[in-house]
Structure formats: structure tokens, C-alpha cells
């Protein structure tokens, strides 16, 4: 074909997959991986929000799944944003992730706001069955360059 191609296939996404211990120690490791992935590639998704939502997904997997088998974190950087998945061995869906329960979280309780944060701050979220349990995921859209903080 002569001239410029109007539609080029998108570059394959950069992705990371890591097994994490089924313990609270997994949360800071997951946050660090997401922060590093988004920073090193100068990706346009909001790193602070990605870290917060990743911490919520990992903490939920550790707290609400039985056993001591590892959980898995998958981070994909896409041209339109990023997707983070947490895989665990429990096939049960994660509470009210995709549908609000209709009740407000109790502000005096330590728990109960994680799924609300994920629903509210992500572009989209959900869960799907896997061969060994389920994957719970969220997506964040790329932040336009003019909205990104200026670095000196």
C-alpha cells in the first residue's frame, strides 16, 4: 500500500504478573509494582488511584478467601489506560462490586468501603471466573497530559 496507513494495529500492552503471599504483606508489594509500572513507562493513568484500588483488591483477596495459597496480581498497561486484576482461589463473586448494596458504609467501621472506592474511582470494574477461582479487576483511563501534575 502506498502512503500512510490510516489504521495501525495497537502495540501489544506491557504487562506484569506476580504471585503474592496470602498475607497482609502482599499489599505493599502490589502497590509498589503498580507504582513502578505506571512511573517507569510514564503511563498516563493516575498512579495514586491505581495504588489505592490495587491495595483494596489485594486486601480483599487476602481477607475474604480461605487457605494460604498465593494470590496473583496482573497489571496491564493499555493505550487507553491500565487494567489491574487480582486472582484468588475462591470462585464466589466479590460482594457488591458491580451493584451497590443500597446501604451506606458505616463511617465508624474500619471495613466496608473498599468496593465502593473501586466502583467510584475506576473507569470500570468487575469479576470473572477463572480455572482456579476468580479474577477481580478494575480499569483506569489515561489521564490527558494537560491534567497530569507537572514534574520539574
Amino acid at each position: 500500500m502506498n502512503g500512510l496507513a490510516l489504521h495501525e494495529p495497537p502495540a501489544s500492552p506491557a504487562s506484569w504478573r506476580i504471585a503474592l503471599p496470602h498475607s497482609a504483606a502482599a499489599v505493599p508489594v502490589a502497590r509498589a509494582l503498580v507504582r513502578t509500572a505506571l512511573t517507569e513507562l510514564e503511563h498516563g493513568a493516575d498512579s495514586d488511584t491505581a495504588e489505592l484500588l490495587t491495595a483494596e483488591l489485594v486486601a480483599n483477596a487476602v481477607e475474604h478467601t480461605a487457605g494460604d495459597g498465593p494470590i496473583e496480581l496482573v497489571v496491564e498497561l493499555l493505550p487507553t489506560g491500565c487494567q489491574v486484576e487480582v486472582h484468588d482461589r475462591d470462585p464466589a463473586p466479590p460482594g457488591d462490586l458491580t451493584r451497590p448494596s443500597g446501604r451506606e458504609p458505616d463511617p465508624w467501621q474500619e471495613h466496608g468501603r473498599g468496593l465502593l472506592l473501586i466502583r467510584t474511582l475506576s473507569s470500570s470494574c468487575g469479576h470473572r471466573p477463572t480455572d482456579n477461582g476468580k479474577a477481580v479487576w478494575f480499569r483506569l483511563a489515561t489521564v490527558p497530559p494537560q491534567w497530569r501534575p507537572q514534574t520539574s
Side-chain angles (χ1 to χ4, degrees):
M1 172 171 135
N2 293 335
L4 297 173
L6 296 177
H7 301 287
E8 292 186 24
S12 61
S15 65
W16 291 261
R17 182 179 293 262
I18 185 171
L20 299 170
H22 195 275
S23 73
V27 175
V29 173
R31 287 181 74 119
L33 177 67
V34 168
R35 179 178 51 250
T36 301
L38 294 176
T39 301
E40 286 196 11
L41 291 179
E42 297 179 10
H43 195 270
D46 179 20
S47 179
D48 292 336
T49 302
E51 283 185 60
L52 172 66
L53 300 185
T54 299
E56 291 296 335
L57 285 185
V58 172
N60 280 351
V62 168
E63 184 175 339
H64 297 293
T65 60
D68 59 357
I71 58 176
E72 189 173 46
L73 175 69
V74 179
V75 180
E76 287 187 276
L77 302 183
L78 308 165
T80 58
C82 72
Q83 178 167 308
V84 176
E85 290 186 347
V86 173
H87 296 234
D88 63 53
R89 296 177 187 227
D90 184 356
D96 57 355
L97 176 64
T98 56
R99 285 184 314 210
S101 65
R103 59 183 164 77
E104 293 293 319
D106 184 344
W108 299 105
Q109 294 299 313
E110 193 173 310
H111 302 287
R113 290 175 289 284
L115 296 178
L116 173 64
L117 284 172
I118 293 166
R119 275 196 324 271
T120 304
L121 298 176
S122 67
S123 304
S124 59
C125 60
H127 59 89
R128 62 182 171 77
T130 64
D131 291 339
N132 299 319
K134 71 175 170 301
V136 183
W137 56 269
F138 69 85
R139 289 188 188 119
L140 290 178
T142 300
V143 176
Q146 64 270 27
W147 292 354
R148 295 181 200 159
Q150 298 297 319
T151 56
S152 40

